[in-house]
């Protein structure tokens, strides 16, 4: 049994916490409030995950063997810093910076020959106005999550102090990036690293016409429907970024924009994809339980990820607006033939009708293949009309 300190205890952390509990470990968790995830744990340290002083006191008192998290951008740097300070298994903070600081991501990608949108570090209205780039552009905090603070700007006349202030509200460092807007499809890649080698396990495609608004997607489809040669090119770029970053082990979630045949890296994170992607979708689509590999790495083992044999089943992650679906309709969808899993949360604060970020209601659909998925989607559309 290991003593594990888990950082963050929201809904998307529950699966990995349960996994660790099932392995017989003693779990302490840091989260400001009680949740179903914190209820699973042996001890709940009720404080903000950024409260370094309180967390470090706890570490000195309890001497955990491992500090970890999952599906949380906020926790990634904290886990690395604390683990490094107390000589526990980790990726060094200098490595993790390449997965948490959006400006550093672009700098590093450019340095190793991976194409990125034109980007500038900005802190004020004047900085944005001085950005030498054709419109439209986007601005976003260097350190935010879940699309918070993301703004698309179509012309210079749309830029004002209020807009910049809105985006800055979501940045702890009070810093933004201004970036060329690439009008293409988003490709997300989920992977796992062990022994400094990386393997991409699942790839999705978010078509540009399937967005509620810029930065907020409606449908995330697996597998990505590109020809194998082009898909292999995207995967190769993803694997290269992770391996050349110096990452030793862990889960990854990366985003690229594809415009025709041009491929641009947008972000790369040293954690599993949120909204159930790491826990539900990746093992289904790929046939690989990446938590097993992550856990083995935390235990000091090295897994040969390059030799993994992958499956390619279908999945759909669909986000819903408040007006799109009610609980009765959700229950009917859950009973559809061919739908291997339908997970939903259509109540309370999970609805985000103003789309300030992507933490709103979602459904996960898993099928054996694309034909079954098309049938499931047709039946869903007979119950609700979303688009």
């Amino acid at each position: 049994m290991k003593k594990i300190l888990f950082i963050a205890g929201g809904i998307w952390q529950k699966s990995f916490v349960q996994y660790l509990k099932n392995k017989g470990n003693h779990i302490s968790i840091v989260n400001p409030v009680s949740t179903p995830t914190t209820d699973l744990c042996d001890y709940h340290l009720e404080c903000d995950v950024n409260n370094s002083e309180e967390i470090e006191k706890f570490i000195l008192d309890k001497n955990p063997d491992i500090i970890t998290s999952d599906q949380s951008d906020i926790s990634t740097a904290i886990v690395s810093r604390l683990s490094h300070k107390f000589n526990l298994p980790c990726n060094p903070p200098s490595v993790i910076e390449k997965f948490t600081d959006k400006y550093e991501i672009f700098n590093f990608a450019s340095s190793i020959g991976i194409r990125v949108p034109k980007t500038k570090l900005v802190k004020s209205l004047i900085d944005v106005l001085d950005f030498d780039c054709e419109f439209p552009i986007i601005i976003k905090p260097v350190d935010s999550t879940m699309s918070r603070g993301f703004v698309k700007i179509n012309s210079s006349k749309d830029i004002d102090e209020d807009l910049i202030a809105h985006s800055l509200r979501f940045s702890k460092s009070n810093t933004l990036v201004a970036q060329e807007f690439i009008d293409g499809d988003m490709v997300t890649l989920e992977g796992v690293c062990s022994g400094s080698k990386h393997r991409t396990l699942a790839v999705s495609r978010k078509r540009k016409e399937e967005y509620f608004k810029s930065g907020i997607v409606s449908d995330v489809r697996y597998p990505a429907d590109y020809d194998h040669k082009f898909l292999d090119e995207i995967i190769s770029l993803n694997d290269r970024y992770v391996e050349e970053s110096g990452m030793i082990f862990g889960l990854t979630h990366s985003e690229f924009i594809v415009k025709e045949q041009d491929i641009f890296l947008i972000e790369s994170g040293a954690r599993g994809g949120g909204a159930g992607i790491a826990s539900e979708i990746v093992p289904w689509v790929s046939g690989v339980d990446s938590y097993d590999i992550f856990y083995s790495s935390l235990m000091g083992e090295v897994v040969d990820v390059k030799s993994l044999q992958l499956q390619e089943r279908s999945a759909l992650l669909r986000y819903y607006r408040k007006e799109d679906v009610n609980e009765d309709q959700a229950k009917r969808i859950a009973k559809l033939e061919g739908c291997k899993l339908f997970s939903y949360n259509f109540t309370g604060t999970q609805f985000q009708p103003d789309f300030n970020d992507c933490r709103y209601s979602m459904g996960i659909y898993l099928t054996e293949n694309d034909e079954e998925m098309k049938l499931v989607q047709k039946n869903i559309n007979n119950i609700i009309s979303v688009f």
Side-chain angles (χ1 to χ4, degrees):
M1 180 183 77
K2 297 288 186 179
K3 293 187 293 182
I4 298 177
L5 178 60
F6 203 95
I7 308 295
I11 184 174
W12 306 125
Q13 284 74 59
K14 185 177 179 181
S15 292
F16 194 39
V17 167
Q18 185 66 68
Y19 176 96
L20 296 172
K21 284 291 292 181
N22 291 345
K23 292 289 185 180
N25 297 296
H26 182 282
I27 313 295
S28 299
I29 194 164
V30 179
N31 204 63
V33 297
S34 295
T35 68
T37 303
T38 64
D39 290 344
L40 289 173
C41 299
D42 300 286
Y43 183 83
H44 178 198
L45 179 60
E46 295 187 45
C47 74
D48 191 277
V49 297
N50 292 295
N51 189 337
S52 297
E53 183 178 354
E54 192 71 20
I55 298 172
E56 290 184 17
K57 284 181 182 178
F58 180 84
I59 293 171
L60 288 168
D61 182 46
K62 301 299 183 181
N63 296 310
D65 302 299
I66 291 168
I67 303 173
T68 192
S69 189
D70 178 43
Q71 300 191 43
S72 169
D73 273 323
I74 295 173
S75 300
T76 303
I78 299 169
V79 166
S80 174
R81 181 182 60 79
L82 291 172
S83 299
H84 185 72
K85 181 172 183 177
F86 291 96
N87 199 30
L88 300 176
C90 70
N91 292 290
S94 59
V95 170
I96 291 303
E97 188 178 22
K98 300 182 183 77
F99 295 90
T100 54
D101 184 310
K102 292 179 175 61
Y103 191 61
E104 181 59 27
I105 289 171
F106 300 129
N107 283 339
F108 177 69
S110 295
S111 74
I112 61 173
I114 295 177
R115 194 172 182 182
V116 295
K118 187 174 183 179
T119 303
K120 179 184 179 183
L121 199 65
V122 297
K123 294 188 175 183
S124 67
L125 175 62
I126 293 174
D127 289 341
V128 178
L129 291 171
D130 285 343
F131 182 34
D132 183 19
C133 184
E134 292 185 3
F135 288 91
I137 64 171
I138 64 170
I139 60 170
K140 57 185 178 181
V142 297
D143 50 3
S144 70
T145 61
M146 297 177 287
S147 299
R148 286 177 289 189
F150 179 103
V151 179
K152 180 183 176 185
I153 304 171
N154 292 311
S155 70
S156 58
K157 67 174 186 262
D158 296 330
I159 306 173
D160 58 30
E161 293 283 5
D162 289 342
L163 184 148
I164 305 301
H166 165 76
S167 194
L168 284 170
R169 280 198 307 118
F170 299 98
S171 174
K172 292 179 182 177
S173 63
N174 206 40
T175 308
L176 311 173
V177 287
Q179 188 177 83
E180 171 190 11
F181 175 76
I182 307 294
D183 188 22
D185 292 347
M186 178 75 77
V187 178
T188 62
L189 301 98
E190 314 301 325
V192 64
C193 181
S194 183
S196 301
K197 298 297 183 182
H198 185 262
R199 184 71 182 275
T200 298
L201 302 177
V203 187
S204 78
R205 184 176 184 177
K206 309 175 185 179
R207 295 184 180 275
K208 62 182 181 179
E209 62 268 20
E210 294 177 335
Y211 278 69
F212 291 129
K213 72 171 190 178
S214 293
I216 306 294
V217 72
S218 57
D219 282 6
V220 185
R221 304 173 188 275
Y222 298 81
D225 55 346
Y226 293 108
D227 67 70
H228 285 291
K229 183 178 179 181
F230 187 64
L231 191 56
D232 286 345
E233 183 179 352
I234 303 171
I235 290 171
S236 177
L237 291 173
N238 186 48
D239 292 341
R240 180 152 65 91
Y241 183 91
V242 177
E243 291 179 1
E244 295 199 27
S245 74
M247 189 175 188
I248 303 167
F249 69 90
L251 305 181
T252 65
H253 169 81
S254 302
E255 299 178 355
F256 287 75
I257 290 286
V258 172
K259 183 178 182 181
E260 297 174 352
Q261 296 298 302
D262 294 326
I263 306 166
F264 302 83
L265 177 66
I266 301 299
E267 293 183 15
S268 189
R271 47 86 178 175
I277 293 173
S279 51
E280 303 291 347
I281 291 178
V282 172
W284 173 264
V285 170
S286 69
V288 173
D289 189 338
S290 53
Y291 283 166
D292 282 342
I293 301 171
F294 188 18
Y295 183 69
S296 294
S297 297
L298 287 168
M299 296 296 111
E301 302 170 20
V302 174
V303 179
D304 181 8
V305 297
K306 295 296 189 182
S307 68
L308 294 172
Q309 299 298 308
L310 305 184
Q311 297 179 2
E312 194 175 80
R313 290 188 285 195
S314 298
L316 170 67
L317 173 61
R318 171 170 284 183
Y319 294 97
Y320 293 92
R321 297 168 293 193
K322 187 173 183 178
E323 64 270 23
D324 289 333
V325 62
N326 58 45
E327 192 161 357
D328 177 66
Q329 290 170 319
K331 289 177 179 178
R332 291 171 60 195
I333 293 172
K335 296 177 182 178
L336 286 175
E337 182 179 354
C339 188
K340 301 296 187 293
L341 171 71
F342 175 59
S343 173
Y344 68 92
N345 184 343
F346 292 118
T347 58
T349 57
Q350 286 298 305
F351 282 124
Q352 299 291 330
D354 295 328
F355 305 121
N356 292 320
D357 58 50
C358 56
R359 295 176 298 170
Y360 42 86
S361 302
M362 38 69 67
I364 295 174
Y365 308 87
L366 307 178
T367 63
E368 289 289 345
N369 52 54
D370 187 53
E371 289 304 311
E372 283 191 8
M373 183 61 73
K374 288 177 181 177
L375 178 60
V376 167
Q377 288 183 260
K378 179 180 178 181
N379 291 332
I380 291 169
N381 291 336
N382 288 335
I383 297 173
I384 56 175
S385 179
V386 178
F387 305 109

